[in-house]
Amino acid sequence: AAAAAATSQSSGAGAQAHAGTFATRQLEQDSYYKLLEPRDKAFARLLVATVQRRLGQIDGVLACCFTKSPSGKNKHLILATLRVGAAQLLFLKTPTFAVVKETVEVLRIHH
C-alpha cells in the first residue's frame, strides 16, 4: 500500500505538498490499508510522508545503485518499492533484515 502511494512525483515546494496530500489520500483509500491496525496505519503514513519529504535524496542514492533504471510495465511500482525501502534504511532506522525481506517480498508478489 505504501509503495503504491509513494509513486507520485513532483517538483517545487507547492507541488511537493500537493503530491504528499495526494499520496496520503491514495494510501487511505487502499483496501489493504483499511484492514491494518492503527499502529501499522501510522507506520504506512510515515513511510509515504518520508518518501515524499526526502524524494530527492532517496532518488540520488538509488541512482548511484542502478546500472540502468527500472523499465517495463511495473517500473513505477519497482521504483516506489525501492524508494520505500531506501527511506526505511536511510531515515527511519528500520532493521535491515526487515527492510530487505519486505522489499523483496513486494517485488516478488508484483513480478
Side-chain angles (χ1 to χ4, degrees), residues 55-66 86 90-91:
L55 187 59
Q57 291 169 295
I58 292 168
D59 282 352
V61 170
L62 291 176
C64 293
C65 300
F66 292 147
L90 297 169
F91 304 110

Side-chain angles (χ1 to χ4, degrees), residues 71-84:
S71 60
K73 101 178 175 180
N74 289 330
K75 68 181 177 184
H76 296 295
L77 178 65
I78 292 167
L79 186 55
T81 303
L82 293 173
R83 284 172 170 164
V84 169

Side-chain angles (χ1 to χ4, degrees), residues 90-108:
L90 297 169
F91 304 110
L92 300 178
K93 309 302 184 218
T94 306
T96 304
F97 72 90
V99 174
V100 172
K101 177 186 174 292
E102 293 301 319
T103 301
V104 169
E105 183 66 16
V106 168
L107 293 172
R108 186 188 64 75

